[in-house]
Amino acid sequence: MLKFSLRALACALSLTAVAGFAQAEPVVIKFSHVVADSTPKGQGALLFKQLAEERLPGKVKVEVYPNSSLYGDGKEMEALLLGDVHMIAPSLAKFEQYTKKLQVFDLPFLFDNIQAVDRFQQSAEGVALLKSMEDKNITGLAYWHNGMKQLSGNKALREPKDARGQKFRVQASKVLEEQFKALRANPRKMAFAEVYQGLQTGVVNGAENPWSNIYSQKFFEVQKFITETDHGVLDYMLVTNTEFWNGLPADVRSELDKIVVEVTAKVNEQAEALNQGDKQRISEAGTSEVISLTPEQRAQWREAMRPVWGKFEGEIGADLIKAAQAANQ
Ligand code: LMR
């Protein structure tokens, strides 16, 4: 009898151990994005994984899905809201459905350079925007830089009139559509994963992207010219599902918050050098000509695109635009 009880006890204990073990399963964080591992965002996602798994061993496991391998544009936000992925970092142009405020980042020629973008992101107004979608269950954790956008085409784009009638791929952003309409060009919304083929087959003739995307997606192989316009910014908001993040055990969440700060500093410190390296590699490849603009030519592009601001001032808010402009100093 005693023998039986001991066996039952041992069995019960081992079941408890199994149950305990099951409870201690690590939290799996799926991080999905659309670019290559070698880009600022790709590197950031991998560093986040490394630090989270090093510092929270057995508690957190991060799965990174680059290059639209799990979800592409359009689907990744839905997946975040459904809880199918937990972290994404879409470009600031891709939040239009959730807040109109972030459209400020797409206004052409608003920021003089990436340093000005950074100052605005760190300002009180910029920080407040991270929380602007919490009513939609989206929490912004940080801004990550990619860089300033360059204009590529199969035609040399030196003056705004060169863009007339050309078909340009745009991200899902009304501001960017209007930007090309202002040039009397034809914008066409297209998911990032389809851009290479779109350029190759002539569905579109041109596009706008930072050097790191142009290089890693090989757009330079299917574009004869790239004009260094720096006409706008392509940066990201690292976002999570608000309920998911708030539901994490407090110790895990606070460690992840610290890791996000550390990774963000690294991404933002390295993005510019990474882009410049890719610019160099594109020049060396020799498949497309890199065009520099004279200050007069750049002023022409600025003047041609500038009317776009007026169209969105109501939705974005004149004060927010002013705050962003102030970051140019
Ligand atoms: C694009 O669609 O061109 C970019 O937003 C891709 C990215 O994530 O850098």
Side-chain angles (χ1 to χ4, degrees):
M1 186 65 191
L2 181 67
K3 204 171 164 196
F4 173 77
S5 308
L6 279 178
R7 197 176 289 156
L9 183 67
C11 183
L13 281 175
S14 72
L15 277 178
T16 314
V18 168
F21 181 71
Q23 266 169 20
E25 288 271 294
V27 178
V28 175
I29 299 180
K30 292 189 180 181
F31 190 144
S32 171
H33 68 82
V34 301
V35 292
D37 284 336
S38 62
T39 61
K41 177 163 62 179
Q43 293 283 291
L46 291 175
L47 183 60
F48 176 78
K49 172 182 168 66
Q50 184 199 322
L51 297 184
E53 292 181 354
E54 251 170 45
R55 297 192 190 156
L56 293 162
K59 292 191 177 175
V60 166
K61 189 169 171 307
V62 181
E63 295 173 1
V64 178
Y65 298 92
N67 267 322
S68 310
S69 55
L70 188 60
Y71 295 105
D73 279 338
K75 290 275 176 275
E76 61 177 15
M77 197 73 94
E78 253 172 58
L80 184 82
L81 291 171
L82 290 171
D84 292 339
V85 295
H86 313 96
M87 289 173 92
I88 58 175
S91 89
L92 294 164
K94 294 177 183 168
F95 289 95
E96 182 180 277
Q97 262 181 276
Y98 306 94
T99 173
K100 301 289 181 207
K101 300 270 172 209
L102 290 174
Q103 294 184 127
V104 69
F105 286 99
D106 281 345
L107 294 179
F109 290 99
L110 174 57
F111 298 104
D112 290 346
N113 47 41
I114 199 75
Q115 290 74 26
V117 175
D118 196 83
R119 281 192 290 273
F120 176 59
Q121 290 171 349
Q122 304 317 318
S123 70
E125 291 85 354
V127 171
L129 291 176
L130 292 172
K131 306 266 171 256
S132 61
M133 297 175 282
E134 288 204 331
D135 58 335
K136 315 250 169 26
N137 203 25
I138 301 168
T139 293
L141 297 170
Y143 291 104
W144 282 3
H145 294 323
N146 187 339
M148 303 305 281
K149 291 181 292 184
Q150 319 304 338
L151 216 50
S152 63
N154 280 325
K155 216 181 132 186
L157 302 164
R158 292 195 169 83
E159 295 173 12
K161 68 172 167 44
D162 299 328
R164 219 172 272 172
Q166 296 287 298
K167 291 174 279 179
F168 286 92
R169 177 268 171 168
V170 286
Q171 304 175 75
S173 151
K174 289 205 178 76
V175 180
L176 299 178
E177 273 185 313
E178 288 300 325
Q179 171 191 279
F180 284 105
K181 284 188 189 161
L183 301 172
R184 289 200 255 157
N186 304 312
R188 195 173 169 135
K189 286 184 187 168
M190 193 181 275
F192 187 63
E194 287 159 26
V195 181
Y196 181 89
Q197 210 185 358
L199 292 168
Q200 192 183 36
T201 57
V203 173
V204 284
N205 317 114
E208 50 169 6
N209 250 296
W211 298 110
S212 62
N213 282 352
I214 298 174
Y215 182 69
S216 57
Q217 299 297 320
K218 301 192 178 8
F219 297 157
F220 67 100
E221 291 180 354
V222 286
Q223 293 279 262
K224 293 203 180 81
F225 301 93
I226 305 168
T227 307
E228 191 164 17
T229 46
D230 286 337
H231 63 282
V233 65
L234 197 156
D235 266 12
Y236 308 109
M237 192 183 283
L238 175 67
V239 292
T240 184
N241 178 308
T242 309
E243 272 172 27
F244 167 77
W245 201 255
N246 292 342
L248 288 170
D251 60 326
V252 169
R253 194 176 61 237
S254 80
E255 187 58 40
L256 291 178
D257 281 334
K258 280 189 223 150
I259 291 170
V260 165
V261 171
E262 199 175 322
V263 173
T264 298
K266 199 82 184 160
V267 169
N268 290 350
E269 185 189 299
Q270 291 182 342
E272 175 88 342
L274 223 147
N275 272 291
Q276 289 309 317
D278 285 344
K279 176 187 167 187
Q280 185 64 27
R281 282 181 270 277
I282 290 168
S283 300
E284 282 162 12
T287 52
S288 45
E289 184 186 332
V290 175
I291 299 173
S292 304
L293 296 177
T294 63
E296 294 73 29
Q297 286 170 329
R298 195 158 183 274
Q300 284 182 32
W301 286 96
R302 188 188 173 95
E303 200 175 315
M305 290 180 173
R306 197 39 214 268
V308 174
W309 292 28
K311 299 201 168 167
F312 294 91
E313 194 182 283
E315 284 182 354
I316 297 170
D319 286 353
L320 194 58
I321 298 178
K322 235 187 238 150
Q325 267 183 300
N328 288 322
Q329 292 183 338

